[in-house]
Amino acid sequence: MSRIVYVNGAYLPEEEAKISVFDRGFLFADGVYEVSSVLAGKLIDNAAHMARLERSLGELKMAPPLPLDEIPPIQREIVERNGLDQGTVYLQVTRGAADRDFPFPKGVTSSLVIFSQERNLLEDPAAAHGISVVTLPDIRWQRRDIKTVQLLAPALAKQAALDAGAKDAWLVEDGHITEGSSNNAYIVTLDGTIVTRALSNAILHGITRRAVLALAEREGLKVEERSFTPEEAYEAGEAFITSASTFVYPVVKIDGRILGNGVPGPVATKLRQLYIEMALAEA
Ligand code: PMP
């Protein structure tokens, strides 16, 4: 059975789901997106994703394709129509289709596309064994707080990491880690402090980051929101990443240096477990 995709008001089999070649998402990467995870057929922390979507649209002066409170029912319909139990729902808004020109077109309606991807989020070998990352220069633009679809730099970084035998890249700017190619990055110092870069335009304000830091504080763990260098990361007791589609993945190797004893650390393991418990309770 073919997947059902939402495109501008219609629910279509994926083969029939089409967008104009003049769509500004295609021509200019003039669009924003959100990825919400689904557990037990329910969207996780979706209100926070919708709030970030509203902010991304506002920062780009892009009109919502329809009132924003009408989007979650469409996401739920996509989950329902595709019988999705576990996976993600991707949603993308672009500035719509107009003859190719740089300024914003007038009188054009934004496009909205929503589709689901099935994936086993709970039983995930990367989470069980931990992942390795390599550091690479952060060549992205300066508004990484806006979740735009211009993902060429992260795609290049992810591929370079795979080519180097790692699972992901941690991006470095001015000698400090900003974040992962599609996730937020954390280390845990030898005295047990969780360190992650503070919010700014240099990183995406992760929805999972916010939830995980709240859980860490609830557990009485010490959290420092500050920049850290690759060298500090090599000496850390453990490390991890967070995102909606990975929850928490332990990082066991950075640039070929093994952290601790090379297995997922207790802090990352605990935070993953707490996050999943909270998400399942919400589902
Ligand atoms: N940083 C970047 C660059 C990302 O692409 C993502 C995931 N889209 C994240 C962080 C994590 O954000 P979230 O927890 O909202 O998925």
Side-chain angles (χ1 to χ4, degrees), residues 1-6 11-17 78 80-83 115-116 118:
M1 201 187 78
S2 110
R3 177 165 48 169
I4 300 298
V5 172
Y6 174 93
Y11 292 89
L12 300 166
E14 62 178 87
E15 303 77 20
E16 291 166 34
I78 281 294
E80 182 86 8
R81 288 194 188 219
N82 290 287
F115 59 81
S116 57
E118 220 177 294

Side-chain angles (χ1 to χ4, degrees), residues 219-235:
E219 287 302 294
L221 298 167
K222 202 167 160 235
V223 174
E224 276 178 19
E225 294 184 58
R226 63 165 173 84
S227 299
F228 59 92
T229 63
E231 292 70 30
E232 186 178 7
Y234 302 153
E235 301 302 323

Side-chain angles (χ1 to χ4, degrees), residues 131-141 144 150-173 177-183 255:
I131 63 163
S132 60
V133 301
V134 287
T135 60
L136 289 171
D138 194 338
I139 62 168
R140 299 173 302 163
W141 77 329
R144 302 158 195 155
Q150 42 165 355
L151 294 174
L152 182 56
L156 290 171
K158 189 90 79 175
Q159 187 58 46
L162 293 178
D163 292 345
K167 171 93 175 168
D168 208 344
W170 276 13
L171 306 174
V172 180
E173 183 173 61
I177 310 275
T178 50
E179 58 187 331
S181 65
S182 63
N183 40 68
D255 288 339

Side-chain angles (χ1 to χ4, degrees), residues 33-36 49 52 140 144 147-148 151 154 171 179-186 202-210 242-247 275:
Y33 74 108
E34 282 296 330
V35 178
S36 303
H49 286 281
R52 185 173 62 189
R140 299 173 302 163
R144 302 158 195 155
K147 196 164 168 62
T148 73
L151 294 174
L171 306 174
E179 58 187 331
S181 65
S182 63
N183 40 68
N184 291 113
Y186 309 73
I203 63 168
L204 186 73
H205 302 187
I207 302 304
T208 321
R209 176 188 185 279
R210 189 173 75 172
T242 64
S243 75
S245 58
T246 62
F247 302 152
Y275 182 83

Side-chain angles (χ1 to χ4, degrees), residues 3-226:
R3 177 165 48 169
I4 300 298
V5 172
Y6 174 93
V7 186
N8 293 327
Y11 292 89
L12 300 166
E14 62 178 87
E15 303 77 20
E16 291 166 34
K18 304 241 164 74
I19 208 104
S20 166
V21 294
F22 294 104
D23 190 272
R24 288 177 62 96
F26 179 59
L27 296 176
F28 294 100
D30 190 359
V32 298
Y33 74 108
E34 282 296 330
V35 178
S36 303
S37 59
V38 172
L39 287 178
K42 295 285 183 329
L43 293 156
I44 304 305
D45 219 354
N46 195 50
H49 286 281
M50 293 305 300
R52 185 173 62 189
L53 174 67
E54 183 169 20
R55 179 179 181 278
S56 293
L57 289 169
E59 291 298 306
L60 297 180
K61 299 182 168 52
M62 194 181 294
L66 68 190
L68 288 175
D69 62 356
E70 292 177 21
I71 293 182
I74 303 171
Q75 293 171 298
R76 288 194 286 270
E77 184 73 23
I78 281 294
V79 169
E80 182 86 8
R81 288 194 188 219
N82 290 287
L84 185 70
D85 176 60
Q86 231 182 100
T88 50
V89 171
Y90 176 92
L91 93 78
Q92 170 166 327
V93 177
T94 65
R95 208 181 300 271
D99 199 12
R100 187 180 182 280
D101 197 7
F102 285 79
F104 300 167
K106 294 204 167 59
V108 168
T109 311
S110 305
S111 297
L112 175 61
V113 169
I114 302 182
F115 59 81
S116 57
Q117 292 183 286
E118 220 177 294
R119 185 167 150 181
N120 194 336
L121 301 175
L122 295 178
E123 279 153 47
D124 184 335
H129 303 299
I131 63 163
S132 60
V133 301
V134 287
T135 60
L136 289 171
D138 194 338
I139 62 168
R140 299 173 302 163
W141 77 329
Q142 294 180 3
R143 290 304 307 275
R144 302 158 195 155
D145 56 310
I146 309 172
K147 196 164 168 62
T148 73
V149 299
Q150 42 165 355
L151 294 174
L152 182 56
L156 290 171
K158 189 90 79 175
Q159 187 58 46
L162 293 178
D163 292 345
K167 171 93 175 168
D168 208 344
W170 276 13
L171 306 174
V172 180
E173 183 173 61
D174 298 333
H176 291 81
I177 310 275
T178 50
E179 58 187 331
S181 65
S182 63
N183 40 68
N184 291 113
Y186 309 73
I187 56 171
V188 184
T189 62
L190 292 173
D191 71 358
T193 303
I194 297 168
V195 180
T196 193
R197 187 148 178 141
L199 298 181
S200 71
N201 292 354
I203 63 168
L204 186 73
H205 302 187
I207 302 304
T208 321
R209 176 188 185 279
R210 189 173 75 172
V212 164
L213 290 184
L215 287 170
E217 269 159 21
R218 196 191 74 190
E219 287 302 294
L221 298 167
K222 202 167 160 235
V223 174
E224 276 178 19
E225 294 184 58
R226 63 165 173 84

Side-chain angles (χ1 to χ4, degrees), residues 194 212 215-216 221 240 248 267-275:
I194 297 168
V212 164
L215 287 170
L221 298 167
F240 60 95
V248 177
V267 173
T269 303
K270 180 81 187 165
L271 289 174
R272 178 175 177 84
Q273 182 199 333
L274 291 173
Y275 182 83

